[in-house]
Amino acid sequence: MGRAPSDSAGGDRLRFLRSFLASPRKVGAVLPTSRRTVDNTLDLAPLEEARWVVELGAGTGVYTRGILERVGSDARVVAFEVDAQLSSILASQLRDPRLSVVSDSAVNVARHLDGAAVDVIVSAVPFTSLPVPERKQILRAARDALGREGIMLVLQYSPLIERELRQTFTYVRRRLSPLNVPPAFLFACQGDPRSPAGER
Ligand SMILES: C[S@@+](CC[C@H](N)C(=O)[O-])C[C@H]1O[C@@H](n2cnc3c(N)ncnc32)[C@H](O)[C@@H]1O
């Protein structure tokens, strides 16, 4: 697929900063993720083969654009963003028949998927600054939405979430994207430890 329409970087940064100032713990960063880090993250999963892709914490859509560039023409991409203003701007900016923008919390991911087994989940939700029950709920809801071979990619600005990821998934790989500001920790998570032999 060709490049998805690019964001107006200045306007998006300003909107993102405003959302951060209004809810710093929920937004968790002052700037959208850099393009290089988006690419480093998305390289960790075979998006070209994915039929169902879910994004959690879409913000101004830097990952959404990257995902749309990689998936095929019959893929479905469902992007969750809890900030109503950010989600409505994203939905109006990114008009693509493969994309649905959902203005709801990632906690409710299953409600919007109609039982689909998701191939790839991409999350930039700032887990470590959310209340513990909310982040546990999101991680479990995401794991339960994945198909057997499904993979969840997680971007964080600290390695603190790794322990919880290892409790939630059978396999967790970690990468660093050092040139992001701040440096980003990327995780690729697969498998449900409750399945026999930690099946994927
Ligand atoms: C660090 S920002 C990442 C934004 C964008 N994906 C990026 O990489 O630039 C985290 C985003 O997650 C959103 N968010 C926080 N909690 C959420 C939740 N429970 N459900 C959905 N989105 C959430 C915030 O509103 C914010 O837009």
Side-chain angles (χ1 to χ4, degrees), residues 24-69:
R25 295 178 76 83
K26 224 170 222 337
V27 175
V30 277
L31 283 175
T33 306
S34 70
R35 183 66 211 209
R36 184 193 292 259
T37 298
V38 168
D39 286 338
N40 289 342
T41 312
L42 299 183
D43 285 348
L44 297 173
L47 277 157
E48 298 72 14
E49 296 159 21
R51 171 87 182 82
W52 278 89
V53 180
V54 166
E55 183 186 1
L56 307 178
T60 51
V62 285
Y63 274 105
T64 326
R65 291 178 175 83
I67 292 166
L68 289 169
E69 284 166 21

Side-chain angles (χ1 to χ4, degrees), residues 16 26-27 29 32-33 57-59 62-63 81-82 86 105-106 124 126 134 138:
F16 195 86
K26 224 170 222 337
V27 175
T33 306
V62 285
Y63 274 105
E81 173 49 60
V82 78
L86 287 178
S105 168
E134 183 179 349
I138 296 174

Side-chain angles (χ1 to χ4, degrees), residues 120-172:
V120 182
I121 297 178
V122 180
S123 171
V125 168
F127 286 120
T128 46
S129 62
L130 294 184
V132 175
E134 183 179 349
R135 97 169 166 242
K136 282 190 185 300
Q137 257 183 300
I138 296 174
L139 285 174
R140 287 184 194 142
R143 179 193 61 199
D144 294 348
L146 286 173
R148 261 170 62 92
E149 303 287 331
I151 179 162
M152 179 171 182
L153 306 179
V154 175
L155 164 110
Q156 292 289 281
Y157 294 118
S158 93
L160 288 176
I161 195 69
E162 183 165 351
R163 191 160 161 259
E164 219 162 306
L165 292 176
R166 291 193 180 280
Q167 288 165 353
T168 311
F169 295 91
T170 312
Y171 306 97
V172 176

